[in-house]
Amino acid sequence: MKTEKHKEQQNVEWKAEWKEEYLKWICGFANAQGGKIYIGKDDKGETVGLKNAKKLLTDIPNKVRDVLGIIVDVNLHTSHTKEYLEISVSPSSYPVNYKGEYHYRSGSTKQLLKGAALTQFLFERTGLTWDSVPMENLDMKDFWHDSFALFRNQALLSKRMDEKDLQITDAQLLDHLGLVKDGHVLRAGMMLFYQDPEKWINGAYIKVGYFKSNTDIAYMDEIHGSLISQAEKVIDLLFTKYLTADITYEGVTRIETYPFPKAAIREAVYNAIVHKNYATQIPIQISVYKDKLYISNDCILPAGWTVDTLMSKHRSKPFNPNIANGFFRAGLIETWGRGIEKICEACIEHDTPIPKYTVHPEDIMVMFECCKKEIHAGVVWEKPQRFYDKRYEYRMNTDMNTDMNTDMNTDMNTAVGASTDDTVIQRVLHFLIQYPKSTQKEISEKLEVTTRTVERTIATLKEQGYIKRAGNNRSGYWEIKKYNWRTR
């Protein structure tokens, strides 16, 4: 547990003497949450004193004003006859730069913002987004009608818009969706509906390839056109050309079962389209293998977001809010940050592993895997009526935060009361779906809840008919009878 002193160091710096390079630290504090720099203190916070404190009391505010364009408070203090200065920096509502460089205080370190991180920072501070820029050289007469017709059909089917609201011209529809400003179509409107967005934005397409191995590609395709049309085309392409369904029959009814749940793939692709940082000019890439599928996308997560944030309950904060609104009105996505939650739910229902997310500073990749269980008579998995091999060894993931359904509350370190919390029950149930041979001790350690809570939760799930113990305590497993715990 951090002490109060350590907490203070998140926005406090101690410097034994003044150097002009510390203007970068002031810049970093101003671009973040503000902070204080003490001049005349060593790394331990002990006062060492300044010989020229009174001169710096005047010089520092002037330098900060001239170089950074902001005002700071500089105060003179004395400790045991030794003088030191306190520079108090307030957070700035607009971007502050030091000689063209944008510095940012993150935790106890100073970062020089570059590339996509700098772009995102500037957008946030100026209140602009990438997709809200007007397209001055684009006129409505340049648009084809096809994408508007597709949008109208989808919006009606999803009931996100009324028919009377759609019985307007294409130009009026763009304006109704907030995609026109001062008579100019916004970049989002162009991306959503224009038949060739690559005329202005290189890389605004989707690349799909089938790989026999990591280095051996069998064939590939590219999906071009408006984002609304790309969304429809890519799903059709994946499930007609790239993914092969297992065919079974129930009576005379033909049943097609794909290696990945269609709902999960659709949601992941739509999320990639909406959240992509199109400024990188790199297309969305979908790599299909026999037993796995990758979706790779250049995007910028909100500051401080990690895989844990994505996999837990979170608010919706799209990088392209205007494009996201278009997809929402068409009924393609929701606006509640439930995309990954829906993906995980679809995978569980389909009896496939929950996807794994890899997050880098400027891109994100999601991997879907096929179910690799062997078929062996003797152990029944009641939904969807398959057989499990008792000898199958379930791999314990060392980072369960990336493998949990997103409706799980990640802040489960607090004590659970006399009646077990529904969120804990959900987490335990979904853990057992993935790892049915787990012991109660393993569940307790991986989910970071007490053993007593696990015992109580297991008892509740057994009582309600969700799970049943098969075999003995040492070599047995948990048989899953029902998938989704319903809040009482």
Side-chain angles (χ1 to χ4, degrees):
M1 181 177 179
K2 291 184 177 180
T3 65
E4 190 64 22
K5 185 174 181 180
H6 287 149
K7 289 181 181 178
E8 291 175 352
Q9 288 178 350
Q10 299 304 305
N11 60 349
V12 171
E13 278 292 324
W14 296 314
K15 302 296 181 183
E17 59 181 347
W18 169 256
K19 296 180 181 179
E20 186 162 337
E21 67 181 69
Y22 296 152
L23 290 171
K24 297 178 183 179
W25 291 90
I26 296 175
C27 175
F29 277 129
N31 284 329
Q33 289 79 40
K36 294 183 178 182
I37 301 179
Y38 290 95
I39 311 298
K41 287 180 174 285
D42 62 19
D43 291 341
K44 298 180 180 179
E46 301 294 333
T47 302
V48 294
L50 285 172
K51 295 181 180 179
N52 57 343
K54 290 183 174 59
K55 182 176 184 300
L56 291 174
L57 187 63
T58 302
D59 290 349
I60 291 176
N62 292 336
K63 283 183 178 290
V64 172
R65 180 198 61 205
D66 295 341
V67 177
L68 302 180
I70 60 174
I71 302 298
V72 296
D73 291 328
V74 182
N75 302 303
L76 178 64
H77 297 283
T78 302
S79 176
H80 303 295
T81 71
K82 296 179 181 179
E83 293 181 331
Y84 66 96
L85 296 177
E86 174 195 53
I87 305 173
S88 182
V89 186
S90 299
S92 175
S93 59
Y94 61 89
V96 177
N97 74 86
Y98 169 78
K99 298 181 179 180
E101 296 178 348
Y102 290 87
H103 297 268
Y104 189 87
R105 175 77 170 194
S106 178
S108 58
T109 63
K110 178 185 66 63
Q111 298 178 1
L112 175 60
L113 297 178
K114 296 180 179 180
L118 175 57
T119 301
Q120 176 69 356
F121 169 75
L122 293 175
F123 277 145
E124 289 180 352
R125 287 305 171 91
T126 57
L128 297 174
T129 59
W130 181 88
D131 65 350
S132 66
V133 176
M135 303 288 295
E136 296 183 359
N137 297 322
L138 179 63
D139 192 273
M140 271 307 303
K141 68 177 186 299
D142 299 323
F143 283 80
W144 293 353
H145 178 68
D146 306 49
S147 295
F148 292 100
L150 180 60
F151 174 87
R152 286 182 170 91
N153 291 335
Q154 292 172 330
L156 281 175
L157 287 173
S158 66
K159 298 181 180 180
R160 294 277 172 84
M161 296 183 72
D162 296 330
E163 185 172 1
K164 63 179 182 180
D165 295 328
L166 294 169
Q167 293 177 343
I168 53 180
T169 67
D170 294 344
Q172 290 171 329
L173 179 58
L174 278 174
D175 189 52
H176 183 70
L177 293 172
L179 300 175
V180 178
K181 183 178 181 181
D182 299 330
H184 298 293
V185 177
L186 299 186
R187 191 180 274 161
M190 181 274 292
M191 296 292 291
L192 285 167
F193 296 105
Y194 189 68
Q195 59 275 9
D196 184 19
E198 294 168 72
K199 180 177 179 180
W200 284 278
I201 308 296
N202 291 329
Y205 65 97
I206 301 173
K207 183 184 293 186
V208 184
Y210 188 89
F211 291 80
K212 294 180 179 179
S213 67
N214 288 337
T215 57
D216 185 9
I217 184 169
Y219 49 87
M220 62 173 289
D221 290 278
E222 293 180 356
I223 297 96
H224 300 270
S226 69
L227 297 190
I228 288 293
S229 67
Q230 286 185 33
E232 180 184 51
K233 293 175 184 175
V234 68
I235 300 302
D236 288 343
L237 180 67
L238 285 172
F239 285 88
T240 55
K241 179 177 180 179
Y242 282 82
L243 300 176
T244 304
D246 291 332
I247 308 299
T248 57
Y249 290 88
E250 287 189 7
V252 296
T253 304
R254 172 188 169 109
I255 299 174
E256 296 183 349
T257 303
Y258 286 94
F260 313 104
K262 192 171 184 177
I265 300 300
R266 182 191 296 114
E267 189 72 28
V269 170
Y270 291 172
N271 282 348
I273 293 174
V274 167
H275 295 284
K276 176 174 167 54
N277 177 18
Y278 289 93
T280 65
Q281 303 185 12
I282 299 174
I284 294 170
Q285 299 177 30
I286 303 176
S287 305
V288 183
Y289 294 77
K290 181 180 179 180
D291 58 350
K292 56 191 174 183
L293 182 149
Y294 294 91
I295 301 174
S296 182
N297 179 36
D298 279 35
C299 70
I300 304 173
L301 290 178
W305 282 35
T306 63
V307 170
D308 290 347
T309 311
L310 290 174
M311 300 303 290
S312 61
K313 192 72 176 178
H314 61 273
R315 63 193 178 97
S316 175
K317 194 175 181 181
F319 180 71
N320 301 299
N322 297 293
I323 293 175
N325 181 60
F327 268 61
F328 170 75
R329 296 298 174 189
L332 302 178
I333 64 170
E334 295 186 36
T335 59
W336 295 96
R338 291 190 64 247
I340 296 180
E341 181 178 354
K342 292 173 66 177
I343 290 171
C344 293
E345 288 176 352
C347 288
I348 291 173
E349 287 294 326
H350 194 266
D351 191 23
T352 52
I354 290 174
K356 295 178 174 60
Y357 283 80
T358 304
V359 175
H360 296 112
E362 297 185 10
D363 68 85
I364 184 170
M365 182 173 67
V366 56
M367 180 185 73
F368 292 88
E369 291 181 285
C370 294
C371 184
K372 298 180 181 178
K373 308 175 188 68
E374 301 174 31
I375 297 178
H376 178 77
V379 183
V380 179
W381 180 265
E382 294 197 354
K383 185 178 181 182
Q385 298 180 351
R386 292 182 180 179
F387 297 95
Y388 266 59
D389 187 342
K390 290 182 180 180
R391 299 165 298 176
Y392 185 82
E393 293 297 329
Y394 292 85
R395 177 173 56 86
M396 297 299 293
N397 193 318
T398 57
D399 185 5
M400 285 309 302
N401 289 328
T402 62
D403 282 354
M404 301 310 299
N405 195 326
T406 53
D407 64 356
M408 313 305 178
N409 188 335
T410 57
D411 187 16
M412 294 306 302
N413 294 323
T414 55
V416 179
S419 69
T420 308
D421 184 87
D422 283 303
T423 307
V424 181
I425 296 175
Q426 287 178 322
R427 295 185 71 199
V428 172
L429 177 59
H430 290 162
F431 186 90
L432 292 177
I433 289 170
Q434 290 288 303
Y435 309 101
K437 297 186 74 173
S438 300
T439 64
Q440 294 188 8
K441 181 180 179 182
E442 289 170 337
I443 298 171
S444 172
E445 291 175 350
K446 293 297 180 182
L447 300 188
E448 297 181 351
V449 295
T450 65
T451 304
R452 180 71 187 95
T453 297
V454 173
E455 292 173 353
R456 186 164 58 243
T457 304
I458 293 293
T460 300
L461 289 170
K462 289 169 63 178
E463 179 183 347
Q464 297 294 333
Y466 282 82
I467 62 175
K468 177 183 176 182
R469 185 68 182 177
N472 57 43
N473 290 334
R474 295 190 61 183
S475 60
Y477 62 95
W478 292 104
E479 206 175 295
I480 310 299
K481 296 294 187 181
K482 292 186 284 186
Y483 271 60
N484 293 319
W485 172 261
R486 302 301 180 190
T487 302
R488 298 305 192 261

